[in-house]
Amino acid sequence: MFRYLAKSLLLLALTVVICCIIYPLLIWGIGQVFFPSQANGSLLKGPDGNIVGSKLIAQPFTKDEYFQPRPSAASYDASASAASTYAASNYLLRNRVATALGPIVKYKGGPKAGQLVAPDIEAWFQQDKYQGNPHIVAQWADLHNAVAQAWVNADPTHGQYVDAWTKAHADLVAEWIKKNPSTQQPKAADLAVLFFENFSQEHPGMFPSAVTQTGADGKPQTSIQPVKEGSDIQGAFFDMWRQEHPDTELQDVPGDLVMASGSGLDPDITLQNAEFQLERVAAKWADDTKRNAADIRKEIDEILQANASAAFGGLGGEKFVNVLEVNLELCKRYGLPK
């Protein structure tokens, strides 16, 4: 009996050593020798030498200087899978799509074929009328309460700006509390619609947006200020502009520019998507570097072409670019955005 027990224990020990020690060490060694980058997570470093992420995992980019990844229904969480479940009529979805398209979509036909729609959106917005009624920003907030509240919660500076407005308009807030007795201590998001209604009256044809200026100490400082142009206006009011110009023919857009991914593991975009964003990216870098926009556009297009690849070594399928790799290349060439 003890002889069989000893053999069983010896077999168990050999199995543990082989499967739990030798095999993992062998696989680890092969990975470190032949595939060191992939074995260590395909990590990428920024211009300062610090790790900024993995080329296998998507992350959000919001500045106009960067190419932006495919939208993520999982908020770019690599451990999650999700779906927005929004219908086409849901304005949170429509607003997300409009925000992506407004600054970059172009006319397809007519005398303006190939030109950006963005300048016309700004000119239309500055007239401060929607369907014949004044105060376009107030109408936007009244029609889409959830989007107005989302704007307040999108960035801490937005909430701080509304809080400062609340202190300066105590009488309006007090009147709002009378009409909403269940909310005696409203938060900034609760007052979003009221804020935009008042803002629209005090600043017709303008929208609150982040503006970066050089402070007295020589350092850049960002604050919320009324503006009449910019990507915030182009995106937020693209859908309303489109509703007033339903017959205007616009260029088709790549599907991955507007259709959300169900996970955070979607780090690539199609080359067509990147080229659709190229005009915006090049224009912003040209403004930052004070260089000719056409020269910057050519340089960035070369970066895209150099980083584009298809499956099976380029033998088949759509060409893709890795968003993080391309954006890091932009930073290496032009520096960090302002």
Side-chain angles (χ1 to χ4, degrees):
M1 175 179 176
F2 290 105
R3 184 178 61 181
Y4 295 118
L5 180 60
K7 289 182 178 181
S8 298
L9 292 174
L10 178 60
L11 180 61
L12 175 62
L14 288 174
T15 303
V16 170
V17 170
I18 293 173
C19 295
C20 299
I21 300 177
I22 296 178
Y23 178 74
L25 286 176
L26 179 63
I27 296 301
W28 177 82
I30 292 174
Q32 294 299 319
V33 173
F34 297 103
F35 314 100
S37 176
Q38 294 90 330
N40 290 289
S42 300
L43 302 178
L44 299 178
K45 295 182 179 180
D48 58 0
N50 292 325
I51 294 174
V52 295
S54 169
K55 66 179 294 184
L56 303 177
I57 301 176
Q59 54 182 280
F61 288 91
T62 56
K63 286 183 176 293
D64 289 337
E65 290 91 343
Y66 292 132
F67 289 96
Q68 297 172 5
R70 181 178 177 182
S72 172
S75 300
Y76 301 100
D77 183 351
S79 65
S81 295
S84 66
T85 66
Y86 289 149
S89 59
N90 189 300
Y91 203 77
L92 288 173
L93 173 61
R94 296 179 66 86
N95 180 70
R96 177 177 66 72
V97 173
T99 300
L101 295 183
I104 60 177
V105 73
K106 297 179 180 180
Y107 290 103
K108 184 176 182 179
K112 292 186 176 182
Q115 297 182 24
L116 290 172
V117 174
D120 290 341
I121 297 175
E122 292 174 342
W124 167 84
F125 172 82
Q126 291 163 17
Q127 295 175 8
D128 200 32
K129 287 186 178 180
Y130 176 62
Q131 296 183 348
N133 298 314
H135 303 306
I136 188 172
V137 173
Q139 294 185 67
W140 169 79
D142 288 337
L143 289 170
H144 315 297
N145 297 6
V147 176
Q149 292 178 340
W151 181 91
V152 176
N153 293 324
D155 190 280
T157 58
H158 295 183
Q160 294 168 7
Y161 187 78
V162 176
D163 287 338
W165 171 88
T166 300
K167 295 178 181 178
H169 298 78
D171 54 335
L172 293 179
V173 176
E175 185 66 24
W176 185 92
I177 293 175
K178 288 182 180 179
K179 296 178 181 179
N180 300 270
S182 60
T183 310
Q184 291 296 311
Q185 294 181 329
K187 298 180 180 179
D190 297 326
L191 300 171
V193 174
L194 178 66
F195 161 74
F196 280 112
E197 289 175 345
N198 179 257
F199 181 93
S200 188
Q201 294 177 356
E202 294 182 349
H203 306 282
M206 306 187 85
F207 189 77
S209 184
V211 176
T212 301
Q213 298 174 323
T214 302
D217 57 358
K219 297 181 179 180
Q221 297 179 351
T222 301
S223 61
I224 303 298
Q225 298 181 19
V227 301
K228 60 180 181 179
E229 56 189 18
S231 58
D232 284 350
I233 291 173
Q234 297 162 7
F237 296 92
F238 170 69
D239 187 54
M240 296 176 74
W241 174 89
R242 185 61 173 150
Q243 291 179 38
E244 284 207 344
H245 303 79
D247 298 326
T248 301
E249 194 174 8
L250 304 179
Q251 290 184 356
D252 295 334
V253 301
D256 64 325
L257 181 63
V258 295
M259 297 180 68
S261 167
S263 74
L265 299 172
D266 206 347
D268 302 326
I269 58 175
T270 61
L271 179 59
Q272 185 184 11
N273 183 343
E275 290 175 336
F276 211 87
Q277 301 183 50
L278 177 58
E279 200 77 39
R280 184 203 72 234
V281 175
K284 197 66 175 73
W285 277 117
D287 182 60
D288 288 353
T289 59
K290 309 302 179 186
R291 290 182 54 196
N292 181 271
D295 292 339
I296 294 289
R297 189 186 189 283
K298 182 179 179 181
E299 292 174 2
I300 297 178
D301 189 40
E302 291 175 352
I303 292 175
L304 290 178
Q305 299 302 327
N307 284 271
S309 62
F312 306 109
L315 296 177
E318 185 85 28
K319 282 190 174 182
F320 287 82
V321 295
N322 186 277
V323 175
L324 181 56
E325 284 185 317
V326 170
N327 287 339
L328 284 175
E329 187 63 34
L330 293 177
C331 290
K332 291 177 182 178
R333 178 166 298 197
Y334 304 117
L336 294 175
K338 291 182 180 180

